[in-house]
Amino acid sequence: MSSLFLTDDGVDLALRGFARVHPQVSLHADPTYATTNDRHPNRRVGLVSGGGSGHEPLHVGMVGRGLLDAAVPGRIFASPHNRQVLEASRRVAGPEGVLHIVKNYTGDRINFGIAAERLRDEGIAVQRVLVDDDIATENAQTATGRRGTAGTVIVEKVLGAAADEGHGLDDLVEVGADVARRSRSVAVARRAQTTLSGGPAFTLADDELEYGVGIHGERAAETIPRPPLDVLVGRMLDDLLQRHEEQRGVVLLVNGLGATTQLELLTIAELAAEHLGSRRVRLLDVLVGTFVPALDMSGFSLTTSAMTSDQLHYWRAEADAPGWPRRPR
Amino acid sequence: MSSLFLTDDGVDLALRGFARVHPQVSLHADPTYATTNDRHPNRRVGLVSGGGSGHEPLHVGMVGRGLLDAAVPGRIFASPHNRQVLEASRRVAGPEGVLHIVKNYTGDRINFGIAAERLRDEGIAVQRVLVDDDIATENAQTATGRRGTAGTVIVEKVLGAAADEGHGLDDLVEVGADVARRSRSVAVARRAQTTLSGGPAFTLADDELEYGVGIHGERAAETIPRPPLDVLVGRMLDDLLQRHEEQRGVVLLVNGLGATTQLELLTIAELAAEHLGSRRVRLLDVLVGTFVPALDMSGFSLTTSAMTSDQLHYWRAEADAPGWPRRPR
């Protein structure tokens, strides 16, 4: 089956390419992790995230000024090893320690957890913010709970700006947990990603849509007849808005899952803005792009984040990382 | 057949979304065109480009500081109307007139040409730089000659910086024509883009590759058995390098055609850098991303540009547009 344009050591070569293209990020080998060369002098806490590869620019692309101090990439769709997390955390720990930003998957929780225990043994303070924004997995049969998806970008951005203002570990945990709690996502796919061995991870009929798909091609609870785009976007927003305690205003993230064009994402953003207006929900800001894809899946996610004014201030702060877009000044 | 996430008025809604997300660009209606709100005070010539939609961020995303003054988007894969070109050119013409950057397609040449005649009738100086970088169409049966593809990004960037230094129209034509002449591209696809009516524009067997594909899904002269990625990248570079009169050093653009992941593009960039090294060709700079896609085609292009040192200076100058990436400082 027709496979991706990758070599057998896919991720390693891509990371070397990343380091070549983005010299403002340092790539460390054995174990593999990336750190910023542009750390704000006010930071007292190192921010570390990571997870499986195949979701680029997350996580390595979010290393930079106003964002992460370090990121640890696993193999494709696989958790990083705890030794990667440990070494990255040691390297970027501030005087008040390290904060781990972890997407809610069993492997990531375990590996970040093992590293955290070892760091504490060494006298380094460590805390965790768990990102669990995907509402499609709220009622999953597993005990894991909601998975972490595109909301990770929001949590990383808000925490990055808060860390640059010199907040300590406890403050950051509070900010991060709160903005994570205020952020919810849902994703749809019209075509699965290509697997590493080639061919699509699952098949859908032409008139079908996977509603609530995961970022690794986890099948959703629902395969639905494909509605008109306007109706689809309205349904997704309704599903999201009813999860928010407050919904007077939201930041909206329109995220491509890989093979979705800018034309499509911008169309979706405009439809979503119109829907929010008709529901009297204020659109505080909107970010459109491919930030947390599932390799080359054709689909998109919507994330709404009912930020506080402090969180919005952090969200809007200047940042500079390979995967962070240019924002209006 | 499973179609894209677009509405019937696809491009119009996407452009409204673009204007919402990027307020630093002004969108004009009837006829449709986009202009920058951030024009360098030294500019004496307005830079205008455009072409069919479906290649975003080209062209509208390249409107901004250090790049285009205006862009005119056509319908998907269709030339803009000459009235769009005319109005955009009138609006951004400088004291020394307007320079049109035109990809070499019949429709674009005709429509930019009609607008240019009318502008000249009004006393506005107009010249054109034609971009014709695609080596796969060198021997095409048509009289059109090489098509314009990803090299357009290079021409727009170099001309944008040159215009900001206050060069006049004749100088800019010379710089643009020379960097266009020094830039060559070739593209491959493992899967066609989705058509507007749904389904792939053409089909390939799993072990096949379209070598020399166009950015509208034009079939290539060759459908080849898919080689290992390293071999493929080497062949593409060899085909490009033999077209350059000078090949001591090149700027490399690794461009995704739509559905190609960052992991893949970075892997390709690293392989290309190694190939260039082994051929003793200096890699002056490398840019990696999705800049000139063919909707959601799965594939990539390589562009090599054997720039002069002046052109490299313009290429490296700061720029700020929605589709221009963050570069290392």
Side-chain angles (χ1 to χ4, degrees), chain A residues 1 49 96 114 168-169 210 219 240 256 260 276 304 308 317:
Chain A
M1 298 288 276
S49 190
E96 296 213 19
I114 293 171
L169 190 53
E210 199 70 4
R219 295 303 294 261
L240 291 171
T260 311
L276 290 172
T304 48
T308 65

Side-chain angles (χ1 to χ4, degrees), chain B residues 252-264:
Chain B
L252 173 70
L253 170 58
V254 180
N255 172 58
L257 290 179
T260 310
T261 63
Q262 282 196 23
L263 272 187
E264 295 170 282

